[in-house]
Amino acid sequence: MTTRIPITILSGYLGAGKTTIINRLLSGDHGRRVAVLVNDFGAVNIDASLIETEDDNTISLTNGCVCCSIGDDLGAALDAQAARHIPPENILLEASGVAEPKRIATHVGFWPGFELDALIVAADAETVRNRANDKFVGQLVRSQIRHADIIALTKTDLVGPEAARGVKAWLRNQVPNARIFEAPNGTLPVALAFGADRASNALSGPVEPAPHSHLRTVMCVPGTGLSRAGLARAIEALPSSVHRVKGFFRDLETGRMTLLQCVGRRHEFLEAPTDTETVLVLIGVGSDTEMNGAMDLLTASDALEADPKSTFAARISD
Amino acid sequence: MSQMTVYTARNIRTMNPSLPEATVVAVKDGRIIEVGTLESMAPWLEAHDHVVDNRFKDHILMPGFVDPHLHPTIGSMLLPCHWVTAMEWQLPDRVSPAIKTHEGFMDRLAEIERSLSDPREILISWGYHKIWHGDVYRKQLNRISDSRPIFVCQRSFHEIVANDAGIDWMEPARDELERHEQVDLETGRFFETGMFLALKSLKRIMMDPERFAQGMAQMKKLMHRGGETTVGDMAFPLTDEAFEWEMLSDNFGSDDAPFRIAITPRGINDMASYGGRTADELKRVNELEERSTDKLRFTNSIKLFADGGFNAELMQLLPPGYIDGHHGEWMMAPEVFEDLARLYWNAGKQIHVHCTGDLGVELALSVLEKLQAERPRFNHRFTIEHLGVSTPEQVRRIKDHGGIVSAAVYYVHELGEAYWHGSIGFERASQMSRMGTLERLGVMTGFHSDFLVSPPQPLKLAWVAVNRIAESGAVLGERERTSLDFAMRAITIDAAYVLNMENEIGSIRAGKLADFTVLEADPWETPLEDLKDIPIWGTVFEGRPFPIK
Ligand SMILES: [Zn+2]
């Protein structure tokens, strides 16, 4: 089982709302030890009462999170996190506004001791369409959006519901099957940013609610093994309202316990410890019907002899 | 007060059009008293004690060469490496010959390996380029040595190739390397972001203070051999301000270093949102300037960046872009660039903008146009640095808005043909570094080496500008060649103008600092194709002769 620290990259062009997302995530009461690595340390703005210690390039918060400046050596900034007395559970890395997300994902996702979890790209509902046509940065902004696992659409409250729908339609046109999450005031739920709790057994515990959002979590214990090929096909067919899938299942072909991690349109299968319990968790923004339908699609995804009656499904939504 | 020294010479090319040639220059306390003939300066000679120094009677004196953009820090890191290069480089203690084949590369590397006396030395080579040297693989390096770690660094740090001993020596375990998408242990290649894994270990060696100081000593020798007396450090610091400042002070601050460095602070690279904090940024730069000394001086300037590296093919291009359809990159978000440019423009600073492609130039010019409309300035010396790919119309606009150029002329020599065939096609490749247009339109222009982009040899840069001889020997873009006068100004008085120091250096006239480059032949009497081969005796720095040993 991997002990690598998962990294979520927060990309997006200038003014897309990355800093607001970071400020909210850092000061949120979410119970996870997150390290946030930022380019622009001076822009971080946190209620002083939450700050435990602060020096030139690190702020430690009372909720267990830290915020550190990346400086000019990204690898060294990551090494410093891995070397901490208690390393963080998750890292949120703020990409530079002009970074090609795919390049930074390769850089940090394969850094020794780390792995890529998700590539989230913030897009500003007010300006993203203009920016995408800009003479100087249009190509970059379109590329950032295209490579997103999840698009965090910010400032939707400023443009109104109709314009927000227009932007979403436009985004879907740019990126078929784009996973879009509306984050009007910059709130990015930790379940969306980092997925279900990474400790394997925590999946069977209560799933953390995301009170301020329309995010839903659906959990299910498939009664049979599943096939990788079948799951891969089902993932392709998932509605764009499902942003993340994580689960442990017994691989029908090999009989081994396997970990499925899926963020947006990207997924991977990894070996899991043999004593892991079977479970699938979906995180998304669909209606109950849509989310349950998606779960059915996955659990039926192969399984020639799956018996629906033996499937115990715990479904939680807020 | 010291005595006056009167240097006689075969000819003095003053670069002052009011008195272009002379045979005698009188110097006192580091400054020029008068230039002319023994007869013309008789009143000075009669009035002051002096010695006549005839050591240059067979030589040509020119103003000390000025290289307005290079990077002493990068040079100091890489000079201690073992160079195997496609172009010839004359280094202080060795010549790195032009090696243009795969076999030649491997033979040279093997030869270097055999020459190492310390079996524990890690062999780091620099200069490898696929265009000339083909693919280099782990197994080939294993044949050179299976015990000594060998790292072959690509010229512009696109990739590093290692042998097995090197891979084993590296910090990360093999399985961590194996899973990296941009590391291929079979071939031993660490490319693009995978290269950072190799650098992580190599940096410990390359940034070792002792090795770095050796590199800086070589850097000084190299600049001296090029005849340079003033250089611009065009982006301070590179990474570690305290370390770099200490190194520069130790190595260039002393009397025996015949140079002065004009230091341009590097503008902050990434500011996501900095409402109200621009004042801090200005303060940071102004505080750096307080360190200014005669030899390490800040000149009220700032370095900003538009698009990516030219050697890395990351310049931003206007349509039709690259043949293979890839895109360049921005080093600063265009809005950040604009805001910072406005900050420094309004503070009265000279702004140097790194621009390599025509879209990068377009960005710089569109911002300059805005700033001129908002708050017109004369004599602002907004400088386009590099000017790799550009259009003639852009050059006209640079002129119209009072901009100037510090040009990377060497691009066309090293990369003109390679980019013709592999990057942007003939028309734009043959017109890269369009010096002829700059001359025709009368744009103030200095030539820079941007070492390690090209050797810190101003005569070689001038040679490229007047001949445009590409690496195969063919002439590329003959309509973009310049006159000899233009090229020689671009390495002396006009380069001094780029550094905002033309009142003190760049020509030989009464009152200026007594910096001379001493040549064995007169550039105006030398065939243009031989310009780069004129031997250099040494330099005179503030009146003191410094022969090349
Ligand atoms: Zn440079």
Side-chain angles (χ1 to χ4, degrees), chain A:
Chain A
M1 189 65 194
T2 171
T3 55
R4 298 192 176 106
I5 302 173
I7 300 185
T8 294
I9 295 170
L10 180 59
S11 171
Y13 193 66
L14 227 62
K18 286 180 293 183
T19 305
T20 315
I21 290 173
I22 286 167
N23 285 335
R24 285 184 180 268
L25 195 103
L26 270 173
S27 46
D29 185 14
H30 43 66
R32 283 206 215 187
R33 277 183 296 107
V34 178
V36 180
L37 305 185
V38 298
N39 290 300
D40 185 13
F41 202 59
V44 177
N45 179 15
I46 300 164
D47 186 347
S49 67
L50 299 174
I51 295 175
E52 206 166 65
T53 60
E54 183 173 5
D55 65 29
D56 275 356
N57 53 17
T58 305
I59 302 173
S60 301
L61 300 167
T62 50
N63 63 3
C65 295
V66 297
C67 178
C68 302
S69 152
I70 294 169
D72 45 32
D73 190 340
L74 185 49
L78 292 178
D79 287 344
Q81 289 305 317
R84 279 170 57 196
H85 181 55
I86 306 172
E89 293 168 78
N90 292 89
I91 285 185
L92 183 80
L93 178 90
E94 180 200 14
S96 139
V98 288
E100 282 286 350
K102 204 171 146 39
R103 181 174 164 87
I104 196 162
T106 312
H107 189 169
V108 302
F110 295 109
W111 195 253
F114 295 85
E115 64 188 8
L116 178 67
D117 178 34
L119 179 47
I120 296 177
V121 174
D124 174 348
E126 259 189 320
T127 60
V128 65
R129 291 172 76 165
N130 279 340
R131 285 250 161 80
N133 287 317
D134 182 82
K135 174 180 181 179
F136 297 117
V137 298
Q139 179 275 327
L140 171 69
V141 168
R142 290 195 302 276
S143 167
Q144 288 179 339
I145 290 169
R146 264 202 309 278
H147 288 105
D149 292 328
I150 297 167
I151 298 171
L153 189 62
T154 60
K155 306 188 191 175
T156 45
D157 50 332
L158 299 181
V159 298
E162 197 175 321
R165 269 195 300 279
V167 177
K168 284 206 267 190
W170 175 82
L171 283 170
R172 293 231 158 76
N173 203 16
Q174 297 287 308
V175 194
N177 232 355
R179 266 50 177 195
I180 302 170
F181 182 80
E182 282 189 49
N185 50 11
T187 302
L188 194 64
V190 286
L192 189 70
F194 308 120
D197 204 309
R198 71 189 281 252
S200 56
N201 58 359
L203 283 180
S204 50
V207 176
E208 50 191 288
H212 304 301
S213 70
H214 47 292
L215 197 69
R216 284 180 169 75
T217 304
V218 178
M219 200 164 79
C220 166
V221 180
T224 67
L226 299 169
S227 91
R228 287 189 182 202
L231 276 170
R233 273 195 306 274
I235 285 166
E236 290 288 312
L238 284 177
S240 60
S241 54
V242 175
H243 290 0
R244 282 178 173 272
V245 180
K246 183 171 180 178
F248 295 96
F249 65 96
R250 193 170 49 77
D251 184 336
L252 274 182
E253 279 87 37
T254 63
R256 292 212 185 102
M257 282 310 290
T258 305
L259 166 63
L260 161 67
Q261 294 197 108
C262 167
V263 186
R265 293 156 295 158
R266 184 172 55 83
H267 73 274
E268 61 178 350
F269 294 106
L270 298 163
E271 243 175 76
T274 46
D275 57 351
T276 321
E277 283 174 41
T278 301
V279 66
L280 282 181
V281 180
L282 264 63
I283 296 172
V285 294
S287 64
D288 285 349
T289 322
E290 224 173 350
M291 297 295 284
N292 291 336
M295 185 61 96
D296 291 344
L297 195 62
L298 289 171
T299 51
S301 65
D302 134 74
L304 308 162
E305 67 286 83
D307 173 3
K309 289 202 185 67
S310 68
T311 301
F312 163 74
R315 298 191 157 124
I316 299 169
S317 65
D318 59 328

Side-chain angles (χ1 to χ4, degrees), chain B residues 478-520:
Chain B
E478 57 181 19
R479 294 279 303 144
E480 291 298 342
R481 291 186 295 204
T482 73
S483 69
L484 179 64
D485 282 356
F486 182 84
M488 297 308 285
R489 283 202 311 272
I491 59 173
T492 55
I493 184 67
D494 291 357
Y497 186 92
V498 169
L499 293 178
N500 207 1
M501 290 173 75
E502 77 280 10
N503 288 322
E504 295 212 74
I505 56 166
S507 67
I508 301 178
R509 67 144 170 85
K512 281 198 174 181
L513 290 165
D515 294 351
F516 312 129
T517 299
V518 183
L519 304 177
E520 306 276 359

